[in-house]
Every structure is written in C-alpha cells, then in structure tokens.
Amino acid sequence: MNREEYINSLRTDLLAVVEEYLTPVALRYGYSDTPLEANIKWRPLVLVLGNYSSGKSTLINDFLGATIQATGQAPTDDSFTVITYDDTAPGTNSIRVTEERDGQFLLNNLEYPFDSLKKHGQRFVSHFRLKKVNSPFLKNLAIIDTPGMLDSIAERDRGYNYQEVIGDLAQIADLVLILFDPHKAGTVREAHTSLRDTLPDRTFEDRILFVLNRIDECASLMDLLQVYGTLCWNLSQMTGRKDIPTIHLVYSPQAAQASANGADADTGFLFHLENQREELKRAISLAPRFRLDHLASFVETHGERLSHLLEGLISYRAHLRRLRMKFGTIGLLVSIMGGAATILALKAIDVLPLTDPQMTWGAGGMIVLIFFVIWTRVLKQFLESRFHRHRMKTIDSLTPLGNQTRLDSWKAIRELVINYLEKTKGRFPLREIKREHTGVQRVFDKGAKEIREALAELSNIRDSESKAQGEQDAAEASPDE
Ligand SMILES: Nc1nc2c(ncn2[C@@H]2O[C@H](COP(=O)(O)OP(=O)(O)OP(=O)(O)O)[C@@H](O)[C@H]2O)c(=O)[nH]1
Ligand SMILES: [Mg+2]
C-alpha cells in the first residue's frame, strides 16, 4: 500500500469511528447540532487570518498564480471566500475562477463542511462565498481568505459575530495562517481578541503559523528587527505565552516592486530572507499531513469530552442509587419498627385482640407494608428532589477534576450535563448511557492510540520513500559508480 492509499484508508477508518461512536452521542446530548464527521470529511483546509491590508489576498494570489482575490490598501474585502480546486476544469494554462457560488449554496450543500455556520445569520451568509479555481496549488487543499481584522478606531458593526465565525472556521481548518504587517505589528484589537480568547479554545497551537508580511516596507534591517521585536512582544501579550513561536518573514516581490520604497531605503536584507516565502509555501502544502494530526486530535478531544459528559451522568445516577439504597434500608427498618410498635400498642389497648400468631404476623406484615408504602411515596419524592437540587449546586464534584485536561473537558460539557439532568431529573436509561460510554471510552483510549501509532508508521513510510527517492537521485547523478 502506498502512502496515498494509506492516508485514505486511515481517514476512512477514522470517519467511520467518529460516525458510529461519537456522532450519535454528540447529537443526543446537544454537544453538536451537526454530525461531527461533517467537519472533517472535506478536503484539507487552510484558513488565512490577519489584520486588514496585511497582504492576505496578495499572498493567496501569489500562491495560486493568478489574481483571484481583490487587493488594495484600504480594508478591501469584507467577505469570507472559500477557494477550492475545480476537478472538472483542469489545465494550468490560464488560471482563473471557473465557478462562483454564494453563501446560501455553501451552507446548504452537504458536500461542504460549513453546515455549522448557519447559525451566524443572514448578514454572514451574504459575506460568505465560494470560488472554484483551476490552480494546481489547490489540488490537495482549499484556502479560506477572510476579511481583515480591524482595530478599535475603525471597528464597525459587521452585522455578525466575527470572532465566533473565525472560531468555527478555525475548528474546521487544518492549518491557520495569521498575517501581520510592519505598520500594525500586533496592535489590532480584533487580532488580540482572536488570539487571546477565540482561537485557543477552538484550535491547537501547532496548527497556527504566524507570518510577518510586507517586510520589504521596512526601511532597513534595524527597522525590521524593531518591528519583529514589537510583534514578538505583542504576541506574547496576546497569547500569554513566554516562548516566541516561529514567525515567517515574507513579502510579495510583485507588490514590493509596485510600491518600491524610497531611494534611501536599505533593503539589502531582503536578499537573505528570500527563502522564507518558499518555506511558507511548503508548510502550507503540507496541510494534508496536518489533516491526519488534526483528525487524531479531533477524535481525542471530542472523545474525551463526550466520555466526560457520560461519566457525569453515570456518576449522578450512582449517587442517586446510593441514596435510594440508604433510604430504602432505613425505610424498611422504620417500617418494621413502626409495624411492631403499632401491633403492640393495638394489643395493649385491646383494639386488636389477636390470639392466632399467624393472624398477628399477617396484620404486622400489612402494617409494615403500609408504613413502607407511605415512606417511599411521600418521603422518596421529597428526598430525591432535595438530592437533585443539592447535586445541581455541587455539580462540579460529580466527577474528579484532578488535572488541567479534566478541567478543560469539564468546562466544555458542564452546561450540557446540567441541561440534561434538569430536563430528565435523573430519569434516563442508565444501561444505554453505560453502553454509549463504553463505546466512546474505547474510541478515546484505544482509537486515539492506534491513530498515533498509524501516524508514526506513516512517517516511516514517508522516510523510507524519501530515502528511496534520495538513493535513486544519487544513482542517477553518478551512473558510472
Ligand atoms: N510593499 C508591499 N505591499 C504589499 C505586500 N503584500 C501586499 N501588499 C499591498 O498591500 C495592500 C493590501 O494587500 P491585500 O492583499 O489587499 O491585503 P488584505 O490583507 O487582503 O486586505 P483586506 O482584505 O482588506 O483585509 C495592497 O495594495 C497590496 O498591493 C508586500 O509584500 N509588500
Ligand atoms: Mg483581502
């Protein structure tokens, strides 16, 4: 089996696991409105975010090899554009848009993974569109160009929740590019909010690439270093991390030429940074590989959360069962004692002159039963609703939350547990939930481990392939040896 087939079979297996074990649970308990696999079954996806005019569209055009997206100095494009390959119109002679569709089509066509974005409303729909382009760069991936992030001065009502939209897109994307430019190196407010609040919840740090674009506009190497330093400082403020992530330093030669710096600009340093653009392009073209990592993380994260959710419900019932046992035992003892006392009292005052022991036992049994029924009917309801109220107040002690991972997964499903318990008041089919829990837990424990092993195996296939390729290249280079 070659690498391509292996990746495909791995993907198919993963999707089947998600569809069979995770999606039914996610839909039943309101964890997701759409089947989980809908988010991951499309092609590898690269999301391009960044400040307005940071050069997102110019960079995308450069990669595609044609002017597909509009560019300009002022905030130019206020739409989210999904750019994907057109399989029906191959040929690279003239790269162009072969088909354009609107947001309505994108959101309602099940071939695309954007069903979950419907909730953002009509204003968002009118700012969402699809372009099919016959560029070879798109053969294995799709790109989303986004409206630039704005700062507090220029901020205006977008008519939809921008942060939420990019959060949802980041969740679907396999790779997120965040672009800055020297003029606003990390000082834009929406970029702050996204990096601090929205993205960490929805994506994984290793799937984010930071880019400082338009570096040709730095007047000298010193200027660039200053901008770089400012961006690093701002990034650490935004992400709360001490370590500085890799920042790709790039620029567009065509755009640079068009807006050539003044004669006194000392841009010789650009020569040494020439390769970074190609590196970035290579990193993006690796998106299909990120997709497998993404799928593994996807299964792990959702498996863990759903398992935690079911664990919470099972724990609730375990507590309730303990209460019922205790309450039942006490009730029985009280009833026996009450029954015996009643018989004795009735005998003592001669109301019940029972001489036959069988009759005495029978009457005793009846009275115990009456006591027990009253006990369970009247008190049980009272105690159980008290138990429910108490559990709702101490909901965080339902499952152990010993480490950060547990805290994180609990945070993601806490409201769902509360909602479900409030709705059912604890009356739900426990056996079914236990069965679901076993399935989800198996996916989390074993499935995720197997995926990671498969990924390691995949990198071996990759290594041996590139080694074989290297040997072949070497043999071709020196045929005499
Ligand atoms: N000098 C120089 N100019 C650039 C570079 N990249 C883009 N530009 C120019 O910067 C301006 C903004 O570029 P766009 O690609 O439209 O930026 P954007 O991030 O897509 O902007 P919005 O869609 O409005 O958020 C355009 O006039 C580009 O020609 C670059 O690397 N160097
Ligand atoms: Mg743009």
Side-chain angles (χ1 to χ4, degrees), residues 57 70 77 145:
S57 306
D77 191 356
D145 192 5

Side-chain angles (χ1 to χ4, degrees), residues 56-57 69-71 76-77 145-146:
K56 299 177 292 297
S57 306
Q69 289 292 84
T71 62
T76 303
D77 191 356
D145 192 5
T146 61

Side-chain angles (χ1 to χ4, degrees), residues 41-275:
K41 70 179 181 203
W42 203 46
R43 16 195 11 215
L45 199 56
V46 179
L47 176 66
V48 183
L49 302 174
N51 298 338
Y52 67 94
S53 298
S54 53
K56 299 177 292 297
S57 306
T58 308
L59 189 80
I60 291 172
N61 286 344
D62 278 5
F63 288 153
L64 300 182
T67 306
I68 301 299
Q69 289 292 84
T71 62
Q73 279 298 355
T76 303
D77 191 356
D78 62 353
S79 289
F80 290 84
T81 312
V82 179
I83 308 170
T84 186
Y85 190 58
D86 191 348
D87 306 290
T88 57
T92 53
N93 288 347
S94 88
I95 295 170
R96 63 197 157 83
V97 177
T98 54
E99 190 181 339
E100 255 191 282
R101 292 300 193 119
D102 60 11
Q104 219 40 282
F105 171 84
L106 259 179
L107 294 179
N108 292 308
N109 193 325
L110 287 181
E111 183 197 337
Y112 300 101
F114 305 114
D115 196 44
S116 61
L117 286 134
K118 276 185 187 157
K119 61 175 180 278
H120 296 295
Q122 212 45 44
R123 271 300 278 284
F124 168 68
V125 177
S126 60
H127 288 86
F128 195 39
R129 60 177 180 228
L130 171 77
K131 280 185 184 175
K132 287 192 176 179
V133 177
N134 59 342
S135 163
F137 187 74
L138 296 170
K139 267 194 176 151
N140 292 315
L141 53 92
I143 297 185
I144 305 184
D145 192 5
T146 61
M149 294 171 177
L150 301 171
D151 55 34
S152 51
I153 307 155
E155 197 175 3
R156 61 204 156 150
D157 183 19
R158 290 186 189 264
Y160 57 87
N161 190 329
Y162 175 79
Q163 299 293 348
E164 279 293 313
V165 172
I166 64 166
D168 285 353
L169 289 173
Q171 206 160 29
I172 306 169
D174 301 287
L175 196 61
V176 181
L177 247 64
I178 304 184
L179 265 71
F180 297 97
D181 63 284
H183 311 288
K184 331 175 253 319
T187 55
V188 171
R189 189 161 147 226
E190 280 190 325
H192 254 274
T193 319
S194 305
L195 288 172
R196 202 191 49 227
D197 304 332
T198 313
L199 292 178
D201 268 0
R202 316 285 182 92
T203 187
F204 303 93
E205 278 168 11
D206 54 353
R207 289 200 276 121
I208 296 186
L209 291 183
F210 291 98
V211 179
L212 177 58
N213 195 23
R214 300 178 66 163
I215 58 164
D216 58 290
E217 290 177 313
C218 292
S220 63
L221 181 59
M222 275 316 289
D223 192 19
L224 172 64
L225 289 178
Q226 239 156 26
V227 168
Y228 185 83
T230 310
L231 179 57
C232 288
W233 162 255
N234 282 325
L235 275 182
S236 73
Q237 296 298 302
M238 290 183 219
T239 58
R241 286 176 50 172
K242 297 267 181 307
D243 56 328
I244 305 297
T246 307
I247 299 173
H248 296 262
L249 303 173
V250 299
Y251 70 100
S252 156
Q254 290 92 326
Q257 229 168 19
S259 69
N261 264 328
D264 55 336
D266 176 15
T267 49
F269 64 91
L270 290 177
F271 178 74
H272 300 289
L273 296 169
E274 210 58 61
N275 51 358

Side-chain angles (χ1 to χ4, degrees), residues 182-470:
H183 311 288
K184 331 175 253 319
T187 55
V188 171
R189 189 161 147 226
E190 280 190 325
H192 254 274
T193 319
S194 305
L195 288 172
R196 202 191 49 227
D197 304 332
T198 313
L199 292 178
D201 268 0
R202 316 285 182 92
T203 187
F204 303 93
E205 278 168 11
D206 54 353
R207 289 200 276 121
I208 296 186
L209 291 183
F210 291 98
V211 179
L212 177 58
N213 195 23
R214 300 178 66 163
I215 58 164
D216 58 290
E217 290 177 313
C218 292
S220 63
L221 181 59
M222 275 316 289
D223 192 19
L224 172 64
L225 289 178
Q226 239 156 26
V227 168
Y228 185 83
T230 310
L231 179 57
C232 288
W233 162 255
N234 282 325
L235 275 182
S236 73
Q237 296 298 302
M238 290 183 219
T239 58
R241 286 176 50 172
K242 297 267 181 307
D243 56 328
I244 305 297
T246 307
I247 299 173
H248 296 262
L249 303 173
V250 299
Y251 70 100
S252 156
Q254 290 92 326
Q257 229 168 19
S259 69
N261 264 328
D264 55 336
D266 176 15
T267 49
F269 64 91
L270 290 177
F271 178 74
H272 300 289
L273 296 169
E274 210 58 61
N275 51 358
Q276 295 238 336
R277 196 174 182 77
E278 281 310 304
E279 250 173 49
L280 181 63
K281 198 169 174 181
R282 236 192 333 271
I284 295 172
S285 64
L286 287 181
R289 211 169 81 192
F290 280 106
R291 160 127 300 199
L292 280 181
D293 284 331
H294 182 189
L295 287 183
S297 308
F298 183 94
V299 170
E300 281 169 348
T301 309
H302 295 304
E304 184 173 36
R305 289 178 182 173
L306 291 173
S307 163
H308 204 159
L309 188 156
L310 297 171
E311 190 188 321
L313 300 183
I314 293 170
S315 163
Y316 178 96
R317 281 291 288 268
H319 281 94
L320 184 60
R321 200 183 57 220
R322 235 169 288 148
L323 174 88
R324 279 179 181 161
M325 294 271 283
K326 205 164 96 183
F327 173 73
T329 315
I330 295 174
L332 200 62
L333 286 175
V334 169
S335 306
I336 291 169
M337 276 160 36
T342 314
I343 293 279
L344 287 177
L346 290 177
K347 263 182 134 178
I349 55 170
D350 252 3
V351 176
L352 208 64
L354 296 173
T355 42
D356 183 353
Q358 241 177 358
M359 289 253 308
T360 314
W361 281 111
M366 282 294 284
I367 294 170
V368 168
L369 199 66
I370 292 166
F371 260 92
F372 194 66
V373 168
I374 295 172
W375 173 270
T376 47
R377 278 291 137 97
V378 181
L379 274 177
K380 186 171 172 253
Q381 227 157 14
F382 168 73
L383 277 182
E384 284 192 7
S385 69
R386 221 186 72 156
F387 163 84
H388 181 74
R389 280 198 304 276
H390 172 70
R391 267 289 136 215
M392 288 296 109
K393 271 192 214 141
T394 56
I395 194 85
D396 293 330
S397 62
L398 211 51
T399 63
L401 300 175
N403 55 40
Q404 194 55 44
T405 322
R406 292 283 291 181
L407 282 168
D408 289 346
S409 64
W410 178 245
K411 194 173 141 210
I413 47 92
R414 185 179 184 273
E415 282 307 306
L416 297 178
V417 173
I418 293 176
N419 290 347
Y420 191 75
L421 289 176
E422 285 294 14
K423 197 173 81 186
T424 58
K425 295 277 181 291
R427 282 180 207 97
F428 47 79
L430 184 61
R431 197 182 299 170
E432 198 175 320
I433 289 189
K434 281 189 170 165
R435 190 180 47 74
E436 287 172 342
H437 185 246
T438 312
V440 171
Q441 190 63 31
R442 198 173 324 124
V443 171
F444 176 55
D445 286 342
K446 195 158 157 271
K449 193 165 150 263
E450 277 172 11
I451 300 161
R452 295 288 174 202
E453 279 169 7
L455 282 172
E457 208 172 303
L458 186 68
S459 70
N460 285 341
I461 295 180
R462 194 177 301 128
D463 289 350
S464 53
E465 273 186 6
S466 46
K467 204 168 143 204
Q469 182 66 42

